[in-house]
Amino acid sequence: MTKLPDPDADAAAALRLLGPDPANWVPPRPGIDHDVAIIGGGQSGCAFAFALRRAGIARVSVIDMAEDATQAGIWLTSARMHVLRTPKTLPGPELGIPAFGFQAWYEARHGSDAYAAMARIPRPAWAEYLAWYRRFLAIPVRYRTRLLRIEPGAGHFRLHLETADGVTVETTRKIILANGFAGGGGVYVPPALSANLPRSFYAHTADAIDFASLRGKQVAVLGAAASAFDAAAVALEAGSAAVHLFARRPELAALPVARVRGYPGAYDNYPELPDRLRWQQALRFRRAGSTPPADAVERVVKFANFHLHLAAPWLSARRHRLFRRSGGPPRARRFRASHPAVARPVHTARGRGGRISRRPPLSRHGPRIPRTGAGHRPLPARHPRAEPVGLCQLRRPGRRRAEHEARPAGRRRTHQP
Ligand SMILES: Cc1cc2nc3c(=O)[nH]c(=O)nc-3n(C[C@H](O)[C@H](O)[C@H](O)COP(=O)(O)OP(=O)(O)OC[C@H]3O[C@@H](n4cnc5c(N)ncnc54)[C@H](O)[C@@H]3O)c2cc1C
């Protein structure tokens, strides 16, 4: 296939053949604003909005706290790798309709040879494709709208939303949480940093980081998985004097145990696995560690001013000084920089995924969300349990019936831990 004069022609033909959207079959209820509220307008939220529309559920509202479409999701914000970490063949939000998939979109614009030649999807191309998907399928997202709190009502939910005009309350029958890492517990900053340093001295990789301001400075990166190496690379490329990357493990994780989850069959059927097996997988992953992709490591080792410190967990941090363990008693390492060192905790096994019960929208419900691994040892269960139907359900204590559905688990593109 070569480039098409009208790159949207095939997608438009597929849309025509699909036929008009089915009529809404959900009877309206007095006092209910939405039949479904989708929290998060990233790729998952948009895919669910399209799927619901095709299922004849029309009163759906997608909200996102981001300023605008470019700030929603991770691809143009906190993701810093050149290419996606996942194989280009993984299904995306196209819902099984090839004309809406990445390959069709890309080939229509760049030709099939260009697609065949690409080993993995360039990150900006993936972001561009998602923007097209949202525009082409006309999925409306209400930006600058943050879910603050979910309050159960009589057979529905009240959503407390922060908007540009202030806090409002809207009602919905069902909720889909497509809120990315916030839904898995959010980011984690070790107390060694947060307790001792002013916020201006450190950032999480999920933050918008002004790398240009690190030019000529010594930078410390905490963590040795993919995002840590990506942040180190961008700091080096931005002209940092030196970047020191610290890991707790004595060697870099090299066994990609989570990769099998990238196979569509394994991914789609994951919620069918018994708890015991899921927990075994989680423990295996936890023990093996999250692997940095080879290209992320290659990107930093090109720089002579990149330094890797293994078996060097941080114990505490003070301005210009890190205390880390290396073999013996705590040792201080001073950064001899005329400017403050910027310590950056990044995507380690502990870099993301705090306790879901502490995340604002769900904090009231946290104790009632069934977790994968609850009752199993040795780690505390933190993540919502995906039910076989692909949904995690929230129950009132003592009741068997689900109150609402949260965090759809299947048919998303991610298999990243
Ligand atoms: C650095 C990095 C690299 C990754 N690389 C890959 C990869 O190569 N391949 C892959 O498959 N996966 C990758 N992932 C996983 C990736 O996050 C998902 O694949 C993808 O972004 C999931 O899309 P999503 O729509 O579920 O979540 P997101 O893209 O994270 O979108 C969630 C949205 O929810 C919004 N939101 C959150 N809380 C609220 C709230 N309270 N109110 C309103 N809106 C809210 C956010 O603003 C955001 O726009 C990576 C993740 C990271 C962090």
Side-chain angles (χ1 to χ4, degrees):
M1 191 171 133
T2 50
K3 284 193 247 182
L4 297 177
D6 173 7
D8 286 351
D10 283 354
L15 203 53
R16 188 182 66 78
L17 292 173
L18 268 181
D21 292 333
N24 183 36
W25 56 266
V26 186
R29 277 205 210 157
I32 302 295
D33 300 315
H34 317 291
D35 285 325
V36 183
I38 300 177
I39 316 304
Q43 61 192 55
S44 304
C46 291
F48 276 99
F50 179 52
L52 288 169
R53 188 204 297 167
R54 294 301 307 172
I57 300 169
R59 292 203 312 155
V60 174
S61 185
V62 188
I63 65 161
D64 201 297
M65 65 185 184
E67 274 296 301
D68 55 34
T70 62
Q71 299 301 304
I74 59 154
W75 304 110
L76 297 176
T77 53
S78 54
R80 301 184 173 95
M81 64 280 188
H82 293 317
V83 290
L84 261 57
R85 296 169 186 159
T86 35
K88 66 179 181 182
T89 47
L90 265 192
E94 68 269 21
L95 306 182
I97 303 164
F100 301 158
F102 177 83
Q103 183 175 354
W105 173 85
Y106 191 86
E107 289 188 346
R109 283 153 184 83
H110 306 282
S112 48
D113 288 350
Y115 179 80
M118 142 200 319
R120 278 184 287 152
I121 297 175
R123 178 174 52 80
W126 180 249
E128 211 186 313
Y129 157 70
L130 291 177
W132 169 85
Y133 177 93
R134 202 189 54 254
R135 265 196 327 271
F136 182 78
L137 295 174
I139 295 160
V141 178
R142 293 157 60 198
Y143 295 103
R144 302 176 74 192
T145 307
R146 178 196 297 261
L147 172 69
L148 298 175
R149 192 153 70 85
I150 301 171
E151 191 188 351
H156 67 273
F157 295 92
R158 280 191 291 276
L159 304 176
H160 294 250
L161 306 176
E162 186 181 56
T163 69
D165 301 325
V167 175
T168 63
V169 177
E170 295 180 12
T171 51
T172 184
R173 292 178 60 191
K174 304 282 179 189
I175 302 168
I176 294 179
L177 291 176
N179 52 347
F181 278 108
V187 300
Y188 173 81
V189 176
L193 286 166
S194 53
N196 301 318
L197 289 179
R199 192 65 180 83
S200 58
F201 271 63
Y202 64 88
H204 193 281
T205 50
D207 296 334
I209 299 171
D210 177 10
F211 283 95
S213 71
L214 301 181
R215 191 177 174 77
K217 292 181 186 166
Q218 305 245 5
V219 177
V221 177
L222 174 56
S227 289
F229 278 91
D230 293 341
V234 182
L236 289 161
E237 287 158 6
S240 295
V243 172
H244 296 263
L245 190 144
F246 297 84
R248 285 177 298 184
R249 291 170 189 269
E251 54 199 28
L252 290 181
L255 185 66
V257 293
R259 191 165 291 167
V260 290
R261 291 192 213 150
Y263 293 105
Y267 197 78
D268 285 352
N269 293 309
Y270 176 79
E272 306 290 340
L273 291 179
D275 260 7
R276 187 182 47 81
L277 279 182
R278 295 190 209 186
W279 196 236
Q280 269 174 13
Q281 284 193 5
L283 283 179
R284 199 164 158 249
F285 174 70
R286 172 80 176 232
R287 286 175 182 141
S290 183
T291 51
D295 53 306
V297 178
E298 284 160 12
R299 195 172 160 197
V300 293
V301 295
K302 285 195 297 227
F303 290 85
N305 52 346
F306 171 74
H307 307 280
L308 178 64
H309 305 268
L310 296 169
W314 290 2
L315 302 173
S316 69
R318 291 210 308 269
R319 285 178 191 223
H320 308 292
R321 205 181 279 199
L322 290 172
F323 291 86
R324 63 191 173 87
R325 190 167 52 230
S326 79
R331 213 172 80 190
R333 175 180 183 92
R334 183 189 287 275
F335 281 90
R336 284 185 298 277
S338 50
H339 302 290
V342 174
R344 174 153 307 115
V346 288
H347 193 186
T348 62
R350 301 175 69 204
R352 295 176 190 270
R355 287 176 198 280
I356 191 167
S357 51
R358 293 193 188 142
R359 299 302 303 168
L362 285 172
S363 47
R364 283 161 50 95
H365 307 288
R368 293 191 270 134
I369 297 175
R371 326 265 167 98
T372 290
H376 298 264
R377 302 226 167 242
L379 296 173
R382 286 188 171 166
H383 298 286
R385 181 184 189 283
E387 302 285 339
V389 288
L391 299 164
C392 152
Q393 302 187 328
L394 173 62
R395 300 194 184 96
R396 280 188 194 281
R399 286 200 192 173
R400 290 186 70 85
R401 207 167 67 81
E403 266 181 51
H404 85 161
E405 290 83 36
R407 186 100 191 117
R411 293 170 187 78
R412 282 171 292 131
R413 192 180 171 82
T414 177
H415 70 245
Q416 297 285 313

